[in-house]
Amino acid sequence: MSETSSPSQPSSTGTPEVARFPIVPADIDASCRIPLVVLFLSASVWLVIGSAFALVASLKFHAPGFLADSAWLTYGRVRPAGFNCVLYGFCIPAGLGVALWLLARLGRTRLALPGLATVGALCWNFGVAAGVWGILAGGSTGFENLEMPPYSARLVFLGYLMIVVWAALTFHQRRERQLFVSQWYLLAALFWFPWIYSTANLLLLTVRVRGMAQAVIAWWYADNLLVVWLGLVGLAAVFYFVPKLTGRELHSRYLALMTFWMLVLFGSWGGIPESAPVPAWMPVSSAVARGLGVIGILAVALNVHATLAGQCSRLMAHPSLRFIGFGVVAFIIGGLMSAAGALSEVTRVTQFTWFTVARDLLNYYGFFAMVMFGAVYCIVPRVMGIEFPSAKLVRAHFWVAAAGILLLVVPLAAGGIVQGLRLQHASLPFNDITQGTLPFLRVSTIGDLLIALGHLMFLGNLAGLVSRFYRIRAVSAWAAATVEIKPAETRP
Amino acid sequence: MNYGPLVFLAAFFALASSWCGFVLTPQLQIGRLQQTNTVGGAGIAYPIARPGLAHQGLDVYRANGCAYCHSQQVGQTGTVLDIALTDAGTNQATTVAALLKLAESATNQPSALTMLPSFQPGSSNAITESILGGLPKAFFRSTTREAANAAAKALNSTSAKVQLWVVPVGPDITRGWGGRRTVAEDYLFDTPVMPGSQRVGPDLANVGTRLPDANWHLLHLYAPRLEVKASTMPPYRFLFEKRKIGRRPSPGALSLSGNLAPGPGYEIVPRPEAKALTAYLISLHADAPLFDAPISVLAPAGAPASTNAPAVPGAASTNAPPTNAPAK
């Protein structure tokens, strides 16, 4: 295994094929343009819709009667609809877009059949739209993180397969045979989702296993999606962009390999909560797996820190790096929060409280979404060949998003700990405990508001760039068209 | 790891192991659970499938996402044994003396044996009164089986008759959310199973035992603060219908007053969804004594006073870690 650890430098061992048909990065970027625009733009629209739903759900803790008289907007429907918009509408498509681009760039090859990947992206988005509609209409499946009804799940699955088959083909026809770290992560992630999604849908919604086995499978699915899939794709982007944008080599391929193994081996076992009414070996193995997962998380911290040569100020150099740096910190904190769940003394307090929600939100918004923002801010200008309309808005987005995440996660985590400690005292009336969490929840509404604002900025900037790109194209096409019909030019 | 197939194999191996662990094995172990029998006393089949209306109510519960605020899992931190007197015997004086002696050892060794509030160690007269106040009654609580056996032996040497009651303990139990921890059997006939992950509202695993009144639930769904002061639950008025009173008021109409009253000539009637949801909530009981989750249930009054054997065969597993044994 040779040590080519920087994605920024072309390997000296180029095959003769590469020399004969040189593909310049601009070619690769251009081949990704349409699927990436569709994926990123739709993802950012879902993100705005999702954060609007989250805001509505959060406002219900200020006044329980808020929008309560409409069945479609009751808390128990708005909340899963919001989470599904963020998870299936934003996280996975954005991750797939980044994966397509990384696989093409790292393989030094054009994206295979971009047209079909675009159809896949559209299919996925129709599926998510049908699913969110279904949840609001009361068709939720009742399994957390798998709420979208079966009819939409089929579309989503088909869309994913269409994207992933072409991603795999792109990987297969790569001209750079040397694999970079990110490619392992992406390859595993691409393969991961179809397996877990089909298992969950088949056994929970089609064939339907009996009793508590349903809940176990649902926990297994959620953990594999939220920890393993998001972790693999997010870290693939981190390990690519941090060396690339700082112009340094990734510190250690072997540490990254260790993180990979820890994530796929132990991350996939961590789903069963301690309280679960199932045979004791299940929550115990999950606790052990969560505890061992710490090693992988620490390896990420060490690897990124060493890549930056200990100077975290390097992260401020590039606007994309700020987002990614924030994402890495959130990944480490979130990972430690869930590793703390390996201790039964801790889970006894944190289970059933807002603490677990805070941990999940830190994973979605703090880690994955931030890394994806950084990647999108870096990829899209290259793919489109023009810069973002407002660099100031990118910087503002970072600060708004960072403040929003802090104001969302910190109050929820603190409120959750207070709630959990008080739940241990049976003498305290239950309703007082819930009342006691309200101040924390109300502060977190500000976080939700800021996050929604940040998402609007992101959407505005991205839509602005795309529309400017097509305006430039339209203008030049118009110019070309009008030039031809000039009588002076046509006459000899 | 420089070959695509190798990465693929690594991912395949990792995911396959986790799939076998948390999909295949749970299906073999708990996915094939069958109805079991309760232990101790009746030995009736458990669980019983929910009646039709309650079954429809599960769908209302699912559609409106009740599980995002309400868990349906009770936890327990352990079990203890209560030493209960079922019969004071013919010679009450010796029984009282033995009880006083036990009280003495309880004060000396509070880690093994504690007195329950029902027992006032004072004069022997007070004890006699509390015995006469009605039996069976638990007087002592022990955390170990040895201490419980020793105490039972001490009392048995008089003419009194003693039972050991298995009592699960923990904050959830003390709060009245259930008699014992929930186990996989409790969810056997529910689809989907919604154990919940948050306690914004109270646990509902035994809400049917706790609040068996359908009218309470209907009023609570319509206007939560009517029944629970300062409740944070949103009202579910879309499950109800406001309609003109016909020839006479509908029997199911809610009795509302003040500013909640629908106005003269109108009434608030629960829609079928509300009735189904209420039926489901009332059907929630997860408190039958099972082999892997023992709990003593008092024999119905008039049943023959039992022997000195522990009340529940499953009591033998007290303080043992939760068993993994699937139901027989």
Side-chain angles (χ1 to χ4, degrees):
Chain A
M1 209 180 279
S2 74
E3 279 284 336
T4 330
S5 292
S6 169
S8 56
Q9 290 153 13
S11 133
S12 55
T13 59
T15 57
E17 207 186 351
V18 177
R20 227 181 300 140
F21 309 105
I23 294 179
V24 289
D27 264 359
I28 301 172
D29 290 342
S31 73
C32 297
R33 187 180 299 138
I34 295 178
L36 257 56
V37 164
V38 171
L39 282 168
F40 290 155
L41 212 54
S42 61
S44 55
V45 171
W46 281 120
L47 197 53
V48 170
I49 299 174
S51 41
F53 281 138
L55 198 58
V56 170
S58 183
L59 281 172
K60 286 175 191 276
F61 288 102
H62 296 253
F66 176 68
L67 293 179
D69 288 344
S70 150
W72 286 57
L73 291 175
T74 188
Y75 179 80
R77 297 191 190 181
V78 166
R79 186 187 126 126
F83 272 132
N84 276 268
C85 285
V86 172
L87 184 58
Y88 293 94
F90 171 76
C91 289
I92 296 179
L96 284 175
V98 171
L100 286 177
W101 187 79
L102 284 182
L103 286 175
R105 265 297 188 97
L106 287 168
R108 292 185 205 290
T109 178
R110 291 192 191 89
L111 191 64
L113 295 167
L116 280 168
T118 313
V119 174
L122 290 174
C123 189
W124 174 281
N125 278 307
F126 279 121
V128 175
V132 171
W133 184 269
I135 293 170
L136 290 176
S140 154
T141 62
F143 297 109
E144 262 183 82
N145 296 307
L146 188 73
E147 286 95 347
M148 295 199 295
Y151 49 82
S152 60
R154 289 188 193 119
L155 277 175
V156 162
F157 190 64
L158 189 68
Y160 187 92
L161 285 187
M162 278 205 255
I163 298 173
V164 156
V165 167
W166 308 124
L169 208 61
T170 308
F171 176 77
H172 178 72
Q173 65 178 32
R174 69 191 186 279
R175 298 181 172 215
E176 172 58 68
R177 299 310 290 182
Q178 182 79 34
L179 287 188
F180 181 65
V181 174
S182 300
Q183 281 164 302
W184 313 332
Y185 283 75
L186 291 176
L187 204 58
L190 293 183
F191 154 80
W192 216 265
F193 184 78
W195 188 334
I196 59 171
Y197 199 62
S198 57
T199 295
N201 271 289
L202 274 176
L203 296 184
L204 298 180
L205 306 174
T206 311
V207 184
R208 288 185 181 275
V209 297
R210 264 157 58 110
M212 208 55 201
Q214 291 175 5
V216 175
I217 293 172
W219 282 319
W220 170 83
Y221 167 76
D223 175 68
N224 270 289
L225 183 63
L226 303 182
V227 176
V228 183
W229 199 93
L230 295 187
L232 285 172
V233 176
L235 288 179
V238 167
F239 287 144
Y240 178 85
F241 284 106
V242 169
K244 172 110 180 160
L245 296 177
T246 49
R248 303 176 59 81
E249 294 222 337
L250 182 64
H251 170 67
S252 165
R253 196 180 158 90
Y254 296 106
L255 270 180
L257 182 66
M258 189 166 82
T259 306
F260 175 81
W261 275 107
M262 291 289 152
L263 201 56
V264 295
L265 276 182
F266 299 128
S268 58
W269 277 81
I272 315 297
E274 216 239 0
S275 61
V278 290
W281 67 267
M282 294 182 201
V284 169
S285 356
S286 275
V288 171
R290 279 196 291 267
L292 288 171
V294 170
I295 303 168
I297 293 157
L298 294 182
V300 173
L302 190 63
N303 217 349
V304 172
H305 190 258
T307 303
L308 297 169
Q311 294 178 319
C312 292
S313 57
R314 286 175 203 269
L315 287 176
M316 301 306 274
H318 193 284
S320 283
L321 269 179
R322 287 184 198 179
F323 284 96
I324 291 174
F326 188 97
V328 172
V329 173
F331 176 79
I332 293 163
I333 296 173
L336 294 179
M337 276 164 91
S338 83
L343 306 169
S344 65
E345 291 83 0
V346 177
T347 34
R348 202 160 288 161
V349 173
T350 58
Q351 66 186 0
F352 304 123
T353 69
W354 288 98
F355 185 85
T356 54
V357 180
R359 189 194 61 205
D360 288 349
L361 288 173
L362 190 63
N363 192 32
Y364 290 136
Y365 286 138
F367 162 58
F368 195 78
M370 286 300 251
V371 170
M372 286 301 119
F373 292 146
V376 168
Y377 280 135
C378 184
I379 293 170
V380 170
R382 285 160 208 248
V383 169
M384 309 297 271
I386 50 173
E387 283 303 314
F388 271 97
S390 168
K392 212 179 264 176
L393 202 58
V394 176
R395 280 198 298 278
H397 176 200
F398 175 77
W399 292 114
V400 168
I405 290 162
L406 283 182
L407 277 174
L408 180 66
V409 170
V410 174
L412 285 185
I417 292 171
V418 172
Q419 183 192 6
L421 287 173
R422 298 179 77 191
L423 276 171
Q424 300 306 301
H425 297 286
S427 52
L428 292 170
F430 179 79
N431 206 34
D432 289 1
I433 299 175
T434 304
Q435 290 288 332
T437 62
L438 288 182
F440 296 100
L441 291 172
R442 289 172 183 170
V443 172
S444 80
T445 306
I446 305 171
D448 267 317
L449 202 63
L450 283 175
I451 284 178
L453 184 67
H455 294 164
L456 267 177
M457 290 173 168
F458 177 65
L459 174 64
N461 225 350
L462 193 62
L465 185 146
V466 172
S467 75
R468 201 165 78 170
F469 175 82
Y470 284 105
R471 205 183 315 132
I472 292 172
R473 278 204 149 183
V475 166
S476 61
W478 175 252
T482 45
V483 161
E484 267 178 53
I485 55 161
K486 261 184 190 168
E489 297 263 323
T490 48
R491 261 179 229 154
Chain B
M1 295 258 291
N2 211 6
Y3 301 98
L6 199 62
V7 179
F8 176 79
L9 272 182
F12 182 89
F13 165 73
L15 185 49
S17 77
S18 135
W19 190 87
C20 288
F22 280 160
V23 176
L24 185 63
T25 321
Q27 164 59 12
L28 296 178
Q29 192 180 4
I30 49 180
R32 297 208 244 164
L33 276 182
Q34 297 295 327
Q35 215 174 27
T36 176
N37 286 329
T38 58
V39 292
I44 49 169
Y46 183 85
I48 311 288
R50 298 188 198 287
L53 192 60
H55 198 74
Q56 292 168 25
L58 178 77
D59 261 354
V60 183
Y61 191 88
R62 168 193 60 72
N64 293 301
C66 304
Y68 294 101
C69 291
H70 294 281
S71 61
Q72 283 190 28
Q73 344 172 15
V74 178
Q76 72 189 38
T77 49
T79 41
V80 293
L81 288 170
D82 277 4
I83 296 128
L85 211 58
T86 52
D87 185 354
T90 43
N91 191 345
Q92 281 192 7
T94 54
T95 311
V96 169
L99 282 171
L100 279 174
K101 208 169 174 190
L102 274 181
E104 202 175 298
S105 77
T107 32
N108 292 339
Q109 278 185 314
S111 61
L113 200 67
T114 48
M115 282 176 277
L116 288 171
S118 58
F119 185 75
Q120 265 93 38
S123 61
S124 48
N125 280 346
I127 298 170
T128 317
E129 257 171 46
S130 80
I131 289 174
L132 290 175
L135 290 178
K137 194 183 259 177
F139 289 113
F140 295 96
R141 172 164 286 188
S142 66
T143 49
T144 64
R145 182 138 191 98
E146 289 73 35
N149 277 340
K153 207 171 166 192
L155 285 173
N156 273 331
S157 61
T158 69
S159 57
K161 285 185 178 148
V162 177
Q163 277 185 351
L164 296 184
W165 290 349
V166 183
V167 183
V169 288
D172 292 1
I173 311 271
T174 318
R175 225 174 255 290
W177 283 347
R180 57 157 171 83
R181 70 191 174 94
T182 44
V183 288
E185 284 89 332
D186 297 327
Y187 307 84
L188 194 56
F189 293 133
D190 288 342
T191 295
V193 170
M194 290 174 283
S197 60
Q198 267 199 286
R199 283 179 177 165
V200 181
D203 191 278
L204 297 183
N206 287 288
V207 72
T209 314
R210 201 160 68 230
L211 299 159
D213 180 10
N215 271 326
W216 188 95
H217 283 290
L218 287 171
L219 277 173
H220 183 241
L221 285 171
Y222 186 79
R225 294 184 182 215
L226 213 58
E227 298 289 352
V228 180
K229 212 180 133 214
S231 166
T232 47
M233 184 169 117
Y236 287 86
R237 294 195 187 156
F238 55 86
L239 298 176
F240 296 82
E241 176 176 21
K242 181 179 174 181
R243 76 179 177 209
K244 232 183 176 118
I245 299 180
R247 209 168 295 159
R248 61 176 67 114
S250 312
L254 298 188
S255 55
L256 297 162
S257 59
N259 51 6
L260 284 172
Y266 286 90
E267 59 184 359
I268 303 286
V269 189
R271 288 177 196 272
E273 293 93 330
K275 287 182 187 160
L277 181 58
T278 304
Y280 170 67
L281 291 173
I282 291 172
S283 79
L284 286 171
H285 310 275
D287 48 6
L290 298 177
F291 175 72
D292 46 351
I295 170 180
S296 292
V297 177
L298 288 189
S306 69
T307 58
N308 298 332
V312 176
S317 66
T318 309
N319 290 338
T323 76
N324 291 337
K328 289 166 285 184

